[in-house]
Each structure stands twice: as structure tokens, then as C-alpha cells.
Amino acid sequence: MKRTASVVVSAVVIFVLAFASLASAQPKTQLRFAFWGEAAEGVQKNEMYSKIVERLQAKYPNVEVIFEMTPSRDYETKLFTQIAAGSAPDVLVVRDMSTNALVDNGMLMDLDPFIKADGYDLSEFYPQVLDVYRRNGKLYAIPPGFTTLVMLYNSDHYNEAGLAAPVGSWSWDEFADAARKLTRGQSGTGEYDRYGVFINEWDGFWTPFIRQNNGDIFDAEGNVVLDSPQNIETMEFLADLKNNQNVSPPFEVAGAYGWWDGLFMQGKVSMVQLGYWTLGIYTDPSLRWGIAELPYNKRKSTLIYSYGYGISSQTQHPELAWELLKELVSEEAQMVQGDIPSRTALAADLLFRPGRQYPENVHVFIDSLAFGEMAPQTTNFSEMYARINGQVWQILTGEKPASNALIDAAVGVRALIYEGR
């Protein structure tokens, strides 16, 4: 009897071991995950995503996630090539500015069926940030975080100039007046000891300004309206501040100081227009600084910058892709991805933690969502901005009148749009 029991037990053990061996021999289900990144940040991004993927693999040990990192400038081009060839990744980073193009090319799955079937709670997320990824009422990506663009100011400079910190709404006139009062001294070379603000050709700088004056790159029908009277007026306002009133450093001076970061951290300028990422850069305790809304003219406007995670329409594993997407926007993942979390409770914990002294008025990042807008959408936004920013540079260096430069920019963008059809 004992020998029979021993044989049975041995047989069961052999069966279990054989089953385990067979299971381990089964090919893993591969999910391809596409994101952009530069060589310098590749190791960091891979480590971050590897930790996030570990949580997915703890639930689904037979899933293998393949990372596909592409330089930012080539990212969308590669995606469009892959979808045309039927070889798109399963899960992908969706850049805010290319959402329309990806949706129009049939690249992304509508996430609403997954959300409904899973009972996934979107009420935890800022609706304004989610709306960046909605098209025709459908949600195509979920962002892990965001930033709004704000005006950073040097608190000590404001105190020295006898100015109250810009709290709440302030107009273009008030902004210009502050920039003049913050600009200080002039050496024999013509360079000022300190400039009030850094006015530059980056589209993240001038896009909110043209919208504050009821302008834009495209109108509601998608027509290029760069050369509109209100846009010309905006650029003339900025060019006058920089070239005639000298409240902003010449570009050669800005280059010598390392552009935004060097100018602000070394006290060469009193105001710069940037986003949340600066909290990880401007950490010198001797730098006392704060955050203000962007000024307004006819209306308030700022940009919401973010990226989201979407599921490819070509995936063969939609349910597993959804599971990976959920891990990528989980609470744990949002706290390590470097932006303001898109979950409201996490953002509050991060921004309003007790004991924070600087920057002042950090709540402005969240307050600005009330008038935040997505960036203009085009298939080839990198080339579009290259064509516009080159003309804005000439406006801000005094090489071209605003009217001529914006006409040339509009011609260039219209040609680009036409080429893309």
C-alpha cells in the first residue's frame, strides 16, 4: 500500500514538473512599446520603464515587453512608416502635437470600450489634460502628467525694483512695465547688467502671446492665418520690447549664458517663460523665485504640454496592451515620470507638500489649466515650427519687419500643409 502511494506521489510530481517545464517552454507573448528619447536619456528611460513593466509581468509572467526608443525628431515618421507596413507597435507614446495626425491615419484605438469594460475611473484625472487626447468625443490616449507654461520670476529682483510679485491676472501693459523696471544698468559695451525678461523665438514662448491677442497659427477651419493683423500686432509688441526697449538680452548674450537656464539661474534675467521641469533644475537655495500666470491682452491663454499612452490599431493583443497602458499611468508610474501627475490627488501631494518655500505660488501650474490650450496640430509639427521660428528669429533680431516675416512664415506653412496632402 505504501509503495502504491509512493508511486502515485511520484507520478504527480513528475506531471507537475513536466507541466511547469512545458509552461516555461511556451513562447512569451511580446508587446512592443514605442517611445521617443535621445541617447543621453536612454538609460534613464529604459530603467524607468523597466520598473513599470515589472508590475505588469508580476501579473502576467508570460508577457515580454520590447522597448523601441526612437530619437524625438524621427519618432512620428517611424510610426507612420510602421503603420503603412502593418508593423506598428502595440503600445506607443502619443505626443500632444501629433494626436490628430495619428488619429487621422488610423493609428490609435478608441480607449473608451476598454475604460467602460474595466470600470476604469477617469474622474481621478484632470479633465483638461485628458481632453488634449479626445477627438470627436473619443479618448485615444491617457497622459501620465503635464505642465502648463508659466512666467517664472526672480523674487529678489522684484523686491529690489520695488515691485509687488505678479499674483493673479496681469496685462501685457503691466508685464511690459515690470520688464522695464527690472532691467538694470548698462555697461560701456551696451550690455545691461540685468534684463527684465527673455523674449525668444521658441514656439512655446510666442504661441500663447498670439492667442492672448486672439490670433493663432490656424483658424477653426484649418486655414493658415499666421499673417493675420492680430499676429503682426503681437510680434511687433514683442519685437519692440526686445529691440527698442532693450528689456530682453540679445541672442548672442543669451547664448553666452546658456539660454533660459543660465540666464535665470545666474540672475541675468528676471523673468523666463517655462514649465514644471524647471523645479528639477532651479534647485540652488540662494535662488529665490516664484511662478506667475502668463500675462494677457484680449484673453488669457497658455499651453498645456503633455504626452499620452495609446494602443495601436494594429495590435494583436489589445487586452494585454490595455493592461500595460494602465501600468504606465498608474499612481506609482506617475510619480516617477517627471511631470505634474495627471491624477489630481497626486498632483496636490506633489505640489503642495508642507515645508515648500520656493518656488512661490506653485499653485499657478494648476490654476493655469483654466485657460490652458493644446498646441496647434499638424502632421509634421517639427518642420512647421522650424519654418515659423526661423522667421520669428528675424523679427526678434530686427532683420525683418513682423509683417514681412509672418507673410513668409505663412507661405512656408501653407506649402508644408499642401505637401502633406
Side-chain angles (χ1 to χ4, degrees):
M1 184 71 179
K2 288 182 180 178
R3 183 173 178 276
T4 302
S6 176
V7 170
V8 171
V9 169
S10 298
V12 170
V13 170
I14 291 170
F15 175 79
V16 169
L17 291 175
F19 181 81
S21 176
L22 181 63
S24 64
Q26 293 295 318
K28 288 184 176 291
T29 299
Q30 291 188 337
L31 288 179
R32 292 164 54 210
F33 171 43
F35 57 94
W36 77 79
E38 310 309 327
E41 61 182 349
V43 172
Q44 179 184 5
K45 281 201 168 185
N46 277 294
E47 288 179 351
M48 177 187 74
Y49 284 133
S50 293
K51 291 178 181 177
I52 295 171
V53 165
E54 284 176 3
R55 291 192 290 274
L56 175 74
Q57 292 173 326
K59 301 175 186 176
Y60 303 95
N62 214 43
V63 172
E64 179 183 12
V65 179
I66 308 299
F67 293 165
E68 298 182 359
M69 188 177 81
T70 304
S72 177
R73 66 182 179 277
D74 302 322
Y75 181 69
E76 278 79 13
T77 300
K78 181 178 178 180
L79 288 178
F80 294 139
T81 300
Q82 288 175 325
I83 194 168
S87 61
D90 298 281
V91 178
L92 61 148
V93 168
V94 178
R95 191 156 18 199
D96 48 7
M97 287 182 279
S98 59
T99 304
N100 276 356
L102 293 174
V103 172
D104 290 346
N105 280 272
M107 183 87 185
L108 300 174
M109 294 187 74
D110 173 13
L111 298 182
D112 290 325
F114 297 99
I115 293 165
K116 183 177 180 180
D118 209 9
Y120 192 72
D121 188 5
L122 289 180
S123 68
E124 298 179 8
F125 294 78
Y126 285 105
Q128 302 96 322
V129 185
L130 288 176
D131 285 346
V132 172
Y133 301 94
R134 292 191 194 277
R135 296 296 178 272
N136 300 317
K138 298 177 180 180
L139 185 66
Y140 288 94
I142 299 178
F146 72 98
T147 185
T148 49
L149 292 184
V150 296
M151 192 67 72
L152 281 52
Y153 62 88
N154 186 303
S155 303
D156 289 334
H157 292 184
Y158 261 79
N159 290 335
E160 291 169 13
L163 293 171
V167 177
S169 302
W170 58 324
S171 67
W172 279 12
D173 287 341
E174 291 169 318
F175 161 71
D177 184 60
R180 286 189 291 268
K181 290 177 179 176
L182 290 162
T183 301
R184 187 182 68 182
Q186 187 175 17
S187 66
T189 63
E191 181 181 328
Y192 286 81
D193 297 331
R194 184 175 76 205
Y195 295 90
V197 64
F198 182 37
I199 295 171
N200 58 82
E201 91 293 355
W202 175 44
D203 44 273
F205 182 84
W206 55 260
T207 301
F209 272 90
I210 64 173
R211 286 177 167 177
Q212 291 156 15
N213 201 32
N214 284 340
D216 214 327
I217 297 175
F218 303 102
D219 64 16
E221 287 73 41
N223 301 306
V224 178
V225 291
L226 265 170
D227 47 353
S228 68
Q230 55 266 45
N231 287 351
I232 293 170
E233 180 182 46
T234 299
M235 290 302 178
E236 287 175 344
F237 167 74
L238 295 174
D240 179 63
L241 283 175
K242 185 176 186 299
N243 299 329
N244 299 326
Q245 301 189 46
N246 300 311
V247 302
S248 177
F251 287 144
E252 57 269 23
V253 172
Y257 278 85
W259 225 242
W260 302 281
D261 297 337
L263 288 168
F264 193 69
M265 288 191 290
Q266 296 180 57
K268 192 65 177 179
V269 298
S270 301
M271 296 185 288
V272 289
Q273 181 171 308
L274 292 169
Y276 176 77
W277 61 86
T278 52
L279 269 69
I281 301 173
Y282 303 163
T283 56
D284 185 342
S286 66
L287 179 63
R288 297 160 50 87
W289 59 291
I291 297 169
E293 291 183 3
L294 297 189
Y296 74 95
N297 192 35
K298 295 173 183 174
R299 68 182 182 95
K300 290 185 177 185
S301 181
T302 190
L303 286 174
I304 301 173
Y305 278 147
S306 67
Y307 62 87
Y309 297 109
I311 298 175
S312 167
S313 58
Q314 294 182 352
T315 183
Q316 299 300 305
H317 312 287
E319 291 80 12
L320 286 173
W322 168 244
E323 293 299 321
L324 174 56
L325 189 154
K326 286 194 296 183
E327 290 297 339
L328 289 165
V329 297
S330 66
E331 292 186 10
E332 296 85 355
Q334 288 198 15
M335 293 302 288
V336 299
Q337 295 191 49
D339 294 322
I340 301 170
S342 58
R343 294 174 182 266
T344 57
L346 291 183
D349 288 344
L350 182 65
L351 292 180
F352 308 124
R353 63 169 62 112
R356 180 190 291 278
Q357 184 177 7
Y358 289 99
E360 298 169 341
N361 306 322
V362 70
H363 59 86
V364 169
F365 282 117
I366 305 300
D367 296 346
S368 295
L369 281 174
F371 48 91
E373 301 175 89
M374 70 181 72
Q377 298 274 321
T378 63
T379 300
N380 193 341
F381 61 88
S382 296
E383 178 60 23
M384 179 188 79
Y385 283 128
R387 296 186 183 195
I388 303 173
N389 291 348
Q391 296 295 330
V392 175
W393 177 284
Q394 294 183 72
I395 295 171
L396 297 179
T397 56
E399 297 173 53
K400 266 188 181 180
S403 55
N404 292 1
L406 289 181
I407 288 171
D408 290 345
V411 169
V413 174
R414 289 186 185 111
L416 178 66
I417 302 301
Y418 180 77
E419 291 164 8
R421 288 177 179 170

